C-alpha cells in the first residue's frame, strides 16, 4: 500500500525538527511525507533541506499566510498526492518508532484508523527541546509512567505497546479512542468521495469534526487500539475551539451534505 503522511505545520521549526527525526527512525520507512504548510516563513523550508537525505520522500505544499486555513492547505496536499492511503498528523507530535508500521497493519478501506497520543507536559517538553532529555527516552514506558506520577506526563497508559494477543482484551477495556486530527488515517479514495475538508472552516477547530462526520456518512467506522499508532505530544499553548466553527458545523450537519461544496473541488 502506498502511504503518505500529511503533516499540517506552521512556523514551529523547533518542534518540527524533533518530529522529522522521529519519522527518520521508523521501523517502516516505505512512505512519503507531505508538509502541508499554512503560510510559514522560509525558516521552515530551510529546515526541510536538512532532511533531503531522509529515507523517505518529502514534499512541501505551501500557501500564503491569511490566518488559520488548515482545511485549505490539507486539501491542497490531498489534491497533489498520489498515495492510496493517508495518515494525518501535526508538527508537534513525535511518532513512536512503529507509528507507520502500526498504521499499515491496521489500514482498511472500511474503517478510518484512530491513533493515540501521550501528552508530555511543559517540563518534559522543554527538556526534549533543549536536548537535556534524549528523544529515545520516550521509548522507555517505565520512565513515562514514573514521570506521570511526578505530573510531567498525561495519558501514560497510551505509551504501553500491548502484546498482540492482548489487544482484544484491551479493546473491551477501552473500546472508544478519542479522535484527533493529528492521528487519523484513511484511504485517499474515501477522502475524495466527500471532497476532502470543508474550507468554509477557518480559524481553530471543527474542520476535523466535520470531516469525520461526513466520512462516517459514507460508511467508514472508527477503529484502533490502545497502545497502537502512538504519538508523543509536545506541550504548547492551546486555543479554545471557535464558537463560530461549532455553529457552522451544526448548520452543515443539519443540511446533511456529505460532499462539501467548498472542498478539494469547488462545487
Amino acid at each position: 500500500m502506498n502511504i503518505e503522511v500529511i503533516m499540517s505545520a506552521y512556523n514551529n521549526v523547533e518542534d518540527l525538527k524533533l518530529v522529522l527525526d522521529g519519522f527518520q527512525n521508523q521501523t517502516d520507512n516505505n512512505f512519503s511525507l507531505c508538509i502541508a504548510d499554512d503560510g510559514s516563513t522560509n525558516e521552515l523550508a530551510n529546515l526541510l533541506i536538512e532532511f533531503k537525505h531522509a529515507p523517505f520522500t518529502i514534499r512541501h505544499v505551501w500557501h500564503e499566510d491569511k490566518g488559520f486555513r488548515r482545511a485549505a492547505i490539507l486539501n491542497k496536499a490531498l489534491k497533489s498526492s498520489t498515495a492510496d492511503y493517508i495518515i494525518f498528523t501535526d508538527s508537534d507530535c513525535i511518532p513512536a518508532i512503529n507509528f507507520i508500521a502500526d498504521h499499515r497493519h491496521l489500514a482498511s478501506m472500511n474503517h478510518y484508523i484512530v491513533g493515540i497520543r501521550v501528552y508530555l507536559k511543559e517540563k518534559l517538553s522543554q527538556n526534549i527541546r533543549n536536548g537535556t532529555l534524549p528523544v529515545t527516552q520516550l521509548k522507555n514506558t517505565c520512565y513515562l509512567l514514573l514521570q506521570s506520577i511526578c505530573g510531567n506526563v498525561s495519558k501514560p497508559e497510551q505509551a504501553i505497546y500491548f502484546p498482540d494477543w492482548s489487544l482484544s482484551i484491551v479493546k473491551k477495556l477501552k473500546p472508544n479512542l478519542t479522535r484527533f486530527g493529528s492521528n487519523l488515517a484513511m484511504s485517499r479514495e474515501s477522502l475524495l468521495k466527500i471532497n476532502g475538508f470543508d474550507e468554509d472552516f477557518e480559524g481553530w477547530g471543527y474542520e476535523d469534526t466535520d470531516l469525520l462526520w461526513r466520512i462516517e456518512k459514507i460508511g467508514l467506522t472508527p477503529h484502533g487500539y490502545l497502545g497502537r499508532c502512538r504519538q508523543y505530544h509536545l506541550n504548547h499553548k492551546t486555543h479554545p475551539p471557535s464558537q463560530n466553527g461549532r455553529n457552522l458545523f451544526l448548520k452543515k450537519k443539519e443540511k446533511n451534505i456529505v460532499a462539501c461544496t467548498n472542498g478539494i473541488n469547488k462545487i
Side-chain angles (χ1 to χ4, degrees), residues 32-48:
S32 60
L33 175 66
C34 178
I35 305 294
D37 185 347
D38 196 15
S40 301
T41 62
N42 288 336
E43 190 178 3
L44 189 148
N46 292 336
L47 172 66
L48 297 183

Side-chain angles (χ1 to χ4, degrees), residues 12 15 18-19 89-96 116-126 128-129 138 144 152-155 158-159 180-183 204 229-239:
N12 188 0
D15 288 358
L18 293 168
V19 174
T89 187
D90 286 343
S91 60
D92 55 13
C93 294
I94 301 171
I116 59 174
R117 303 198 306 197
V118 179
Y119 291 86
L120 310 178
K121 296 192 177 180
E122 183 63 21
K123 181 180 178 181
L124 218 57
S125 296
Q126 287 306 115
I128 291 172
R129 287 176 178 125
L138 296 177
L144 292 176
N152 293 324
V153 175
S154 180
K155 303 285 185 182
Q158 302 200 145
F180 293 104
S182 68
N183 199 343
W204 197 89
C229 307
R230 297 165 299 157
Q231 293 177 321
Y232 306 97
H233 182 269
L234 294 162
N235 183 268
H236 59 82
K237 182 180 178 181
T238 58
H239 301 279

Side-chain angles (χ1 to χ4, degrees), residues 200-218:
D200 287 347
F201 289 90
E202 296 186 355
W204 197 89
Y206 285 97
E207 70 275 3
D208 296 321
T209 304
D210 172 76
L211 180 102
L212 293 182
W213 177 78
R214 290 184 292 114
I215 213 76
E216 290 183 2
K217 280 290 188 178
I218 64 169

Side-chain angles (χ1 to χ4, degrees), residues 38-225:
D38 196 15
S40 301
T41 62
N42 288 336
E43 190 178 3
L44 189 148
N46 292 336
L47 172 66
L48 297 183
I49 296 172
E50 297 180 24
F51 290 86
K52 63 182 179 180
H53 297 303
F56 49 85
T57 302
I58 299 180
R59 300 191 300 122
H60 183 205
V61 176
W62 180 91
H63 67 188
E64 186 180 354
D65 186 357
K66 294 182 179 179
F68 190 96
R69 294 188 297 146
R70 180 172 174 268
I73 195 60
L74 289 175
N75 277 346
K76 189 172 183 179
L78 280 170
K79 189 171 185 177
S80 61
S81 177
T82 59
D84 306 309
Y85 196 76
I86 303 295
I87 302 171
F88 292 108
T89 187
D90 286 343
S91 60
D92 55 13
C93 294
I94 301 171
I97 60 170
N98 39 24
F99 180 77
I100 297 293
D102 285 348
H103 268 294
R104 188 185 300 278
H105 180 70
L106 293 176
S108 167
M109 297 298 289
N110 300 318
H111 301 288
Y112 65 89
I113 303 305
V114 180
I116 59 174
R117 303 198 306 197
V118 179
Y119 291 86
L120 310 178
K121 296 192 177 180
E122 183 63 21
K123 181 180 178 181
L124 218 57
S125 296
Q126 287 306 115
N127 286 344
I128 291 172
R129 287 176 178 125
N130 62 32
T132 58
L133 179 70
V135 176
T136 52
Q137 187 71 340
L138 296 177
K139 295 189 290 184
N140 188 335
T141 305
C142 291
Y143 173 80
L144 292 176
L145 291 172
L146 286 172
Q147 285 297 313
S148 71
I149 296 172
C150 301
N152 293 324
V153 175
S154 180
K155 303 285 185 182
E157 72 281 1
Q158 302 200 145
I160 302 171
Y161 197 82
F162 297 97
D164 289 345
W165 62 263
S166 69
L167 289 179
S168 59
I169 300 170
V170 172
K171 186 78 169 177
K172 289 178 182 178
L173 294 174
K174 192 173 179 65
N176 298 315
L177 300 176
T178 305
R179 297 153 177 78
F180 293 104
S182 68
N183 199 343
L184 293 170
M186 61 200 76
S187 70
R188 183 168 174 270
E189 179 183 345
S190 298
L191 289 160
L192 295 179
K193 281 182 182 178
I194 63 167
N195 202 19
F197 288 85
D198 190 333
E199 296 179 25
D200 287 347
F201 289 90
E202 296 186 355
W204 197 89
Y206 285 97
E207 70 275 3
D208 296 321
T209 304
D210 172 76
L211 180 102
L212 293 182
W213 177 78
R214 290 184 292 114
I215 213 76
E216 290 183 2
K217 280 290 188 178
I218 64 169
L220 271 69
T221 53
H223 181 57
Y225 294 103

